[in-house]
Amino acid sequence: GQQLNQSPQSMFIQEGEDVSMNCTSSSIFNTWLWYKQDPGEGPVLLIALYKAGELTSNGRLTAQFGITRKDSFLNISASIPSDVGIYFCAREGAQKLVFGQGTRLTINP
Amino acid sequence: DAGITQSPRHKVTETGTPVTLRCHQTENHRYMYWYRQDPGHGLRLIHYSYGVKDTDKGEVSDGYSVSRSKTEDFLLTLESATSSQTSVYFCAIARGFETQYFGPGTRLLVL
């Protein structure tokens, strides 16, 4: 299948630091999605991107759809304890989503 | 929160026994999905449905079957559970297939 490579796999940061993660693919796509999964719960959609070059914010979160349409970035500014969780990128195709492996974010107070 | 529930939330079973997981929605969404989540693999699609009685396989469908006899319910069946099917199972629903709303998950342990 068409894999998504998400990095880093895990991050350990101090509260207040900025966070950056990315997702790449060998194929081009029309949609990039970013989900967050809190411990013990199902993933929740954070941001959806539909155009190459698009930059979209949701509070302290900012995501960008890469200009080549093969990658996407998610940034979190001034991290807080509730940002802990697993962040997944996803792309759509044929009525389905394919998810990256996830980035596990741990924050030290 | 989207009206989606999963039952049971936790289950322990023995190898070789049949297991059925239920996903129930109150949103009347067309699309329903079953995923499994395992460490290092993220979320992998097992089966999905695009309407009543309309289902299709995902990337890890071997050993699983599904049924959708009405809009609100999507059942996932393990005909003969194996230890490799120990996992956390998530159901998701969507009006359009991009914005998926996930249920709380079912933790299945196959001994």
Side-chain angles (χ1 to χ4, degrees), chain A residues 3 31 33 35 37 40-45 48 50 86 88 92-102, chain B residues 9 30-31 33 35 37 40-43 45 48 50 57-59 90 97-104 107:
Chain A
Q3 298 293 324
T31 304
L33 305 163
Y35 282 79
Q37 183 179 27
E41 299 185 11
V44 174
L45 180 66
Y50 300 103
I86 305 176
F88 293 99
E92 61 80 20
Q95 303 182 66
K96 303 189 291 278
L97 293 182
V98 173
F99 287 84
Q101 302 97 321
Chain B
R9 294 294 314 278
R30 176 183 178 189
Y31 297 93
Y33 305 83
Y35 294 89
Q37 184 174 28
H41 291 280
L43 291 154
L45 183 65
Y48 68 103
Y50 45 95
K57 297 178 179 180
E59 65 176 299
F90 286 99
F97 52 86
E98 294 170 350
T99 306
Q100 296 187 10
Y101 298 96
F102 285 79
R107 291 187 174 275

Side-chain angles (χ1 to χ4, degrees), chain A residues 39-98:
Chain A
E41 299 185 11
V44 174
L45 180 66
L46 296 174
I47 294 177
L49 302 161
Y50 300 103
K51 284 170 45 177
E54 180 180 357
L55 186 71
T56 297
S57 294
N58 179 4
R60 294 176 295 104
L61 277 62
T62 302
Q64 184 162 24
F65 193 149
I67 198 72
T68 65
R69 293 167 63 193
K70 293 184 178 182
D71 57 9
S72 180
F73 303 86
L74 176 69
N75 296 314
I76 305 172
S77 62
S79 59
I80 60 177
S82 62
D83 291 334
V84 164
I86 305 176
Y87 292 80
F88 293 99
C89 62
R91 59 88 174 161
E92 61 80 20
Q95 303 182 66
K96 303 189 291 278
L97 293 182
V98 173

